Structure formats: C-alpha cells, structure tokens
Amino acid sequence: QRPTLNLNFARSKTLDPRQKWTRNSTATYVDNDGLIKTAAVNEPRFGHHPTTLESLGLLMESDATNQIEYSEAFNNSYWTNDGSNITFVTGKVAPDGSTNAIQFTNSSGGERLYRQSAFNLGSSGDKDLTYSIFGKWAGTNGSTLKLKMIGSGTGTFECSWDLNTGAVVDGSLIGDSQAIWQYPNGWYRVELRKTNFSTGSIVDLEIITESSDIIVWGAQLENKKSRRYASSYIPTSGSTTARLNDSDVMVTAADWRPGLSVGTVFCKYFMIGKAAYGSTWRIGYQPSINWNGSTYNSESSNSSIKIQGNAGGASGTANGVFKPEVGVMGYSSGNSAYCINGGSISTSSNAINSPSNNTRLITSTYSSWSNKADGFIAQFVFWPQRLTNGQIQELSRMGEAVP
C-alpha cells in the first residue's frame, strides 16, 4: 500500500500550500549552486550541502541574533586595525556572489583586526558563545586565519586554521570546540565555541592574519545556550540583527488518515551541530502517544509520536560534515517497533494511535519539544498500516523511503 503522506522535501524542494508554516524574518541558506542566498519573510528554505551540493531538505532553525554590528564592512571604524599594518583590498567576490568580501594583506606578521568590548554578557541570560567567519586564502604569502575570544574573568580562547588545506593549525586554547566547513570557490567557514562565560564578562573579538593574505566575509557572534554551533549566516550593517524562528509544519488531519490504530512513520533528517541539551534529536507529530525510543509516556496535554536518534559525532559539526539520520517506527495495538539507521529493532506492547486532529511536524532536542533541533527534514512519510519489523529495519537503512 502506498503512503498517505510523503513529504519529500529534499526531492521536491516545495512546501504544499495545505501545509502551514511561517518565519517572520528573512534568512539565508545554501542554494544548489553553492552560493548563500536570502529567503524572504515566510519563504521556506530548501538547503544544500555546501561542498557536495546535495539537496538536504527543509531547513528548520530556532531564532538567533548576530551580535556583531558590521559583519562584512571590516574597514568600518567599528573594527580596529591593530597597528595599522593591515592593508584592505575591497571588491572581492563573497560566498553569496556579491563583491562585499575584503582582502587583508599583512606582510608585517601577527597583526589583528579586533572589536573591543564587542559583547557584554550582563548579569543573566545565556553564557555560551559561537564566533564564526568565512575566510579564503588570497593565494599569496601565508594562508592562516585565527579567531580569538577574550572574556574578562573567563580567559582567552582561540583557534587557527589553514585556509589552503582546511586543517587546524593550532587548537591548544580552543575553549570547547571548533569546526571548519568547506564552501565552493576556495571558501571556508570557521567557528570557535566556548560555553559558560562568566557572568558580566566583556567579550573582545579578534581576527588575526598570522602573516597571511586572506579574504574574509560574514563575521557572526551568537549567544544562545541551546545552540553550540554556528547557525545560518545573519548579515548585519550598523546594528545587531535577528533571524526569527522557523515554525513547525502544520499538516492537515486528512493527510494522516486520522483515527487509525495502526501506522508506520519514516523520517530522514540532517542535524546541524550537537544539541546543547544532549546529543539526541527527535522529530514527530502531535497529538498522540509519546514514544521516546524505549518506553511510552504522556507529554503535556498534547502527547506525541516521535522518532529519536543520536546525533553525537554522526551528525555533529566537529569535522564539518553532514550525515543523515533515518528513523522508522511502526505501531499497532499492543505491537510497536522502532529502528534507527538499520540498527537493532526496539519493540513495545503498549498501544498507540494515529492523530485525530491537524498535527504539527516538529523537530527538537531530546529534553523538550520547546528546544528546537536545528537541521534539515529531508523526508517524512506515513503509511496507514503497521509494516513488519523486517520492513521497518530495511527502511531505516534507506536514503529515501519512496520517491
């Protein structure tokens, strides 16, 4: 029997008008040509792998703010040129295809461009920072770029990368973690992360040339405890700028064949980064009964079916690689089974029912549905029958359930 719902976002790159979704701001994504594009308000983003250009599906992110007020104009007085030994060459082609990138030429060695007192953590709120920038070797002299965060009362955290090879040069003072992502045309996006900055810290940001000639664009500083990785680029020009939350996808009850006591759910998902609240992700719909991988339990007044997997190193950003997670769950009265990535089958004798109303297609981290797990929904499929355990396991090995 064919599925009654097949949301193949990676293949179709469309959102059916019946499926309600919103985002009340612009937002960026990597298009199929590898360039960073800007989606309009309430325009869904169907992103691609920045290196292979593989279609990843519908990009879902929680809100974020770039705390750097000039993310591209490094020759603006907002940034301080230490010692005036860095020469700027404007008009370089950037990862978005514009000519807003700027080349730093530094023959004197070790010079830095910095923003003093870039961010005040204050007395409360999130204390986890992710500092990122796009960089490219100009082809002459050295090819090393260093990012540094200095927190009053917290310490100095830094990392250096080779923009010719993509290798880490020095991560001895890294803080918590770093990542380097390869983009087309010789570009990389590098990121430095540190959690638990001291309350009241004044954070200074530095870009250090290390006797190199490099081209830079798109600096970003994020301060959010539920995110320990750089989210999609947020351009700024004169003030901090926010990207608002991608809403859940609303799916009509008719698409789900409501009221059935049997069904099978398939999901392929690419997670961005490692969840701050644990290394798991989950994706599901409401309302129904909640499956958390091994047991069932109620979750507030609107319980849910969820597919849950371990992002960990498989989909984390430590090495700048996206890898998919595939989860499949089949259920009927007193006979349910669950499998992730072709692994072992987990079973339960608890009852579960399909949703009886319009539902929400949700992504989140393990601890709470309110903690959105940023990533790409490649495909979400529902069959109105309980497939066999063998079929469930085989489906979870597949990159695509049905075209």
Side-chain angles (χ1 to χ4, degrees):
Q1 187 174 352
R2 300 288 295 177
T4 55
L5 180 69
N6 179 12
L7 305 179
N8 197 335
F9 297 126
R11 180 181 288 265
S12 69
K13 302 180 188 178
T14 59
L15 196 62
D16 190 299
R18 296 174 300 169
Q19 297 150 13
K20 305 302 180 184
W21 167 93
T22 60
R23 185 194 59 251
N24 294 318
S25 74
T26 61
T28 64
Y29 64 101
V30 178
D31 207 352
N32 58 6
D33 57 2
L35 294 179
I36 294 175
K37 304 289 179 62
T38 298
V41 173
N42 292 331
E43 178 188 354
R45 294 175 290 168
F46 297 95
H48 297 75
H49 191 289
T51 305
T52 67
L53 305 184
E54 174 188 0
S55 177
L56 300 177
L58 177 65
L59 176 54
M60 304 277 282
E61 290 184 295
S62 56
D63 64 285
T65 298
N66 188 352
Q67 304 290 344
I68 294 174
E69 296 177 16
Y70 285 90
S71 64
E72 299 173 16
F74 299 103
N75 53 352
N76 186 280
S77 59
Y78 176 84
W79 294 93
T80 300
N81 184 347
D82 186 21
S84 300
N85 289 320
I86 297 175
T87 300
F88 296 108
V89 181
T90 60
K92 298 297 180 178
V93 178
D96 66 347
S98 71
T99 55
N100 293 334
I102 293 180
Q103 180 176 328
F104 295 174
T105 299
N106 174 24
S107 59
S108 62
E111 294 300 325
R112 63 180 179 147
L113 192 72
Y114 68 92
R115 172 61 184 173
Q116 196 167 22
S117 303
F119 187 60
N120 188 339
L121 285 171
S123 59
S124 62
D126 297 333
K127 301 294 184 292
D128 298 345
L129 298 184
T130 301
Y131 182 25
S132 62
I133 195 170
F134 290 84
K136 176 181 179 178
W137 181 39
T140 56
N141 297 322
S143 56
T144 302
L145 169 65
K146 177 187 285 187
L147 292 185
K148 180 184 288 188
M149 291 189 288
I150 304 173
S152 58
T154 304
T156 298
F157 309 97
E158 61 186 48
C159 187
S160 301
W161 300 267
D162 187 329
L163 298 183
N164 181 28
T165 65
V168 175
V169 176
D170 183 3
S172 59
L173 296 175
I174 199 172
D176 284 329
S177 56
Q178 61 79 30
I180 179 165
W181 297 81
Q182 187 175 7
Y183 279 71
N185 304 314
W187 284 96
Y188 291 91
R189 190 185 193 188
V190 298
E191 56 185 81
L192 178 66
R193 302 184 285 268
K194 179 67 182 75
T195 61
N196 300 320
F197 265 83
S198 299
T199 299
S201 285
I202 306 297
V203 181
D204 298 341
L205 303 177
E206 297 186 8
I207 305 167
I208 302 175
T209 60
E210 300 274 289
S211 302
S212 301
D213 291 353
I214 56 175
I215 305 170
V216 294
W217 180 82
Q220 187 155 303
L221 178 68
E222 300 173 71
N223 171 42
K224 192 166 186 178
K225 203 161 190 71
S226 59
R227 179 183 291 116
R228 296 180 180 177
Y229 44 88
S231 67
S232 60
Y233 173 54
I234 305 169
T236 65
S237 181
S239 63
T240 61
T241 302
R243 181 196 64 244
L244 300 184
N245 182 68
D246 289 288
S247 75
D248 303 325
V249 178
M250 305 297 291
V251 183
T252 63
D255 290 324
W256 290 101
R257 294 285 298 277
L260 294 177
S261 60
V262 297
T264 301
V265 176
F266 168 100
C267 177
K268 181 179 180 181
Y269 185 74
F270 294 87
M271 187 172 180
I272 304 173
K274 298 182 179 181
Y277 296 102
S279 58
T280 60
W281 60 268
R282 61 183 180 177
I283 181 168
Y285 58 82
Q286 294 180 323
S288 192
I289 303 298
N290 183 24
W291 165 273
N292 70 8
S294 58
T295 60
Y296 292 90
N297 63 284
S298 177
E299 185 160 303
S300 71
S301 59
N302 289 326
S303 55
S304 57
I305 297 174
K306 68 173 181 245
I307 294 178
Q308 173 184 309
N310 184 0
S315 300
T317 61
N319 58 354
V321 174
F322 288 105
K323 292 184 178 179
E325 298 276 350
V326 177
V328 184
M329 183 180 68
Y331 56 90
S332 62
S333 179
N335 180 14
S336 302
Y338 174 91
C339 190
I340 289 285
N341 295 332
S344 60
I345 289 279
S346 299
T347 61
S348 175
S349 60
N350 290 21
I352 192 166
N353 291 307
S354 297
S356 57
N357 300 301
N358 292 352
T359 63
R360 294 189 296 160
L361 183 57
I362 305 168
T363 64
S364 72
T365 56
Y366 175 67
S367 66
S368 170
W369 286 113
S370 62
N371 298 321
K372 184 177 289 290
D374 299 342
F376 299 85
I377 305 174
Q379 188 176 25
F380 193 82
V381 184
F382 174 75
W383 290 265
Q385 74 262 25
R386 188 343 187 142
L387 300 182
T388 67
N389 287 5
Q391 289 173 319
I392 288 170
Q393 190 172 44
E394 182 60 27
L395 274 173
S396 72
R397 296 191 182 106
M398 298 173 64
E400 185 177 59
V402 290

